[in-house]
Amino acid sequence: MTTIKLHNTKTRRKEVFTPLNPDDVRMYVCGPTVYDRAHLGNARPVIVFDVLYRLLRHVYGADHVTYVRNFTDVDDKINAKAAETGRTIGGITEETIRWYLDDMGALGALEPDHMPRATEFIPQMVTMIEDLIASGHAYAAEGHVLFAVDSYTRYGALSGRTVEDMIAGARVEVAPYKRNPMDFVLWKPSSDDLPGWDSPWGRGRPGWHIECSAMAHELLGASFDIHGGGIDLQFPHHENEIAQSCCANGTDKMANVWMHNEMLLVEGKKMSKSLGNFFTVRDLLDQGVPGEVIRYVFLMTHYRKPMDWTAEKAAQAEATLRKWYALAAQAQDGSVPSQTAVDALADDLNTHGFLSECHQLALAGDAATLRATLQLVGVLETNVPAWAAAPVVDLSAHSYRLAAARETAMQTNDFAQVDRLKSALIAAGVEVRMSKSGVELVPGPEFDPSALEGLE
């Protein structure tokens, strides 16, 4: 059997993965808060843990792996969106969940075995909170229930911080009902205009962290194999999950292995609306970037390294996939994945090494093994899609012509020719990107090459 090694955030080292029960391998990954479209950064943990899910199924068997990813459908951001738009909370969450599943499906992600919604597990959360109060790990105050951080001596082990450091470096809510500034909310009161459920502490709603602990316990048990998410969740979310789960369930561990993917950049910078480089997965798909291309770009970078999304990488990915589809079309069925590639993937999801082996298979012309290998990570799973079969559009002549016209216009201050060329390109369905570094022309989904015939 293939030996899997995973980097455990909690121990800060790569370890041989040994499931608690090889016949029942269990993984929980924190999912989205459903109030808006998923941006590109939200897609990284989906693809990372989808690849891990596929690897676990390959090694242990599809019937022996359980993958849980939740939906947070009760949250102040959702409440604010409802107040802002006048829509119902249920309408917003249902629509957003559908968007999310459609968009992640377009990236080739398998749906997890369970996709629980927080609102479906309120009774389990209440029971867990009651147990924490009874054992002295939580307390009620002014309609709130808070976890007493100083009651759990191992608090901070995941992030490697002391409580003092956390207080100094974190934005903690200072409230009169808190015994300790680091104590966090398990339950809070709801006004009549907000979602709420009856509880021993009055009508209210759960805090953010308790939902994952309750759902993971209900679906995977008191302890399970892998807990994953983005590095931004390591503290405080995952730190708090561990504390409340171990105290409520009487265990030393919530999960044996903790895994965190690094953040995403766009063209070398943090994605930000103020920088104009913020976009959703749907934005890219609507611009004509195939979901499989987006997935491949993610696979080019190891999950524990920051990933930089660039137009150049997307173009490179599309060119590679076009070649591989053409080669795979010649493949006979019945092949198995390259063990060299599987071993690379089993080494802490070394997707870069995995793709390197795929390039070697392509160079050797081994179409059958290439296709079987790529299918292991959710690539080349279908017949040649339309985008890969379509001829590559060469717009270089138009790009040179527009660049030359702009250069002349800068000297003569007459931009009529630039405007004419640009308007014709846009009318033909071409996105025109002009910057100091040059001119880039990108065919859009409605591109009509015949509209450019005779353009001089």
Side-chain angles (χ1 to χ4, degrees), residues 63-367:
D63 295 335
H64 302 293
V65 180
T66 303
Y67 174 21
V68 178
R69 187 185 65 217
N70 72 293
F71 287 113
T72 296
D73 61 345
V74 52
D75 185 87
D76 289 344
K77 291 179 180 178
I78 302 172
N79 299 339
K81 184 70 172 286
E84 174 189 343
T85 61
R87 299 182 61 197
T88 65
I89 287 173
I92 291 171
T93 58
E94 287 294 333
E95 178 181 63
T96 308
I97 288 172
R98 186 174 66 253
W99 284 346
Y100 184 85
L101 294 176
D102 287 347
D103 292 350
M104 297 308 115
L107 303 185
L110 300 173
E111 290 193 359
D113 300 287
H114 301 283
M115 295 183 287
R117 304 184 187 192
T119 53
E120 298 171 341
F121 289 79
I122 300 296
Q124 290 87 340
M125 296 179 209
V126 170
T127 297
M128 182 171 279
I129 295 171
E130 289 179 316
D131 292 343
L132 288 169
I133 292 176
S135 59
H137 292 291
Y139 58 93
E142 299 183 22
H144 294 74
V145 181
L146 298 106
F147 183 87
V149 167
D150 57 9
S151 73
Y152 182 63
T153 57
R154 294 193 297 276
Y155 191 83
L158 179 67
S159 56
R161 311 181 192 185
T162 65
V163 173
E164 291 74 18
D165 288 341
M166 294 182 212
I167 293 174
R171 296 177 178 176
V172 296
E173 178 189 358
V174 179
Y177 48 78
K178 283 190 176 185
R179 296 176 184 173
N180 182 315
M182 288 303 298
D183 292 350
F184 56 88
V185 172
L186 302 174
W187 189 265
K188 53 188 174 182
S190 289
S191 57
D192 292 341
D193 61 329
L194 294 175
W197 292 263
D198 292 333
S199 80
W201 318 286
R203 183 177 180 276
R205 60 196 191 278
W208 174 31
H209 314 297
I210 193 68
E211 64 176 72
C212 287
S213 288
M215 288 187 283
H217 178 264
E218 183 73 13
L219 296 170
L220 298 177
S223 296
F224 49 94
D225 296 295
I226 300 168
H227 195 313
I231 191 66
D232 57 315
L233 299 180
Q234 181 182 13
F235 177 83
H237 186 50
H238 289 166
E239 197 77 75
N240 293 351
E241 274 190 63
I242 292 173
Q244 62 200 11
S245 292
C246 289
C247 291
N249 301 328
T251 57
D252 291 333
K253 295 180 180 179
M254 181 186 186
N256 267 3
V257 179
W258 286 83
M259 297 177 65
H260 295 91
N261 62 271
E262 262 292 350
M263 305 299 284
L264 175 133
L265 305 173
V266 174
E267 302 290 349
K269 297 179 181 179
K270 183 178 179 180
M271 190 163 60
S272 168
K273 291 182 179 179
S274 62
L275 294 176
N277 66 347
F278 179 95
F279 45 85
T280 67
V281 172
R282 180 50 53 182
D283 289 336
L284 284 179
L285 294 172
D286 288 347
Q287 289 168 17
V289 181
E292 198 168 3
V293 169
I294 299 172
R295 185 181 185 90
Y296 187 98
V297 173
F298 277 73
L299 297 178
M300 291 166 69
T301 303
H302 191 271
Y303 78 95
R304 288 196 299 112
K305 294 181 179 180
M307 194 203 101
D308 189 12
W309 171 273
T310 67
E312 181 180 355
K313 285 182 181 177
Q316 177 186 342
E318 181 170 342
T320 298
L321 288 171
R322 284 176 177 273
K323 293 176 183 177
W324 286 356
Y325 264 115
L327 178 60
Q330 309 167 25
Q332 299 296 316
D333 292 334
S335 189
V336 296
S338 157
Q339 189 58 44
T340 300
V342 173
D343 290 342
L345 199 63
D347 184 13
D348 196 30
L349 301 187
N350 181 3
T351 51
H352 179 78
F354 178 93
L355 293 179
S356 294
E357 170 61 12
C358 290
H359 281 287
Q360 293 302 313
L361 292 171
L363 287 172
D366 191 345

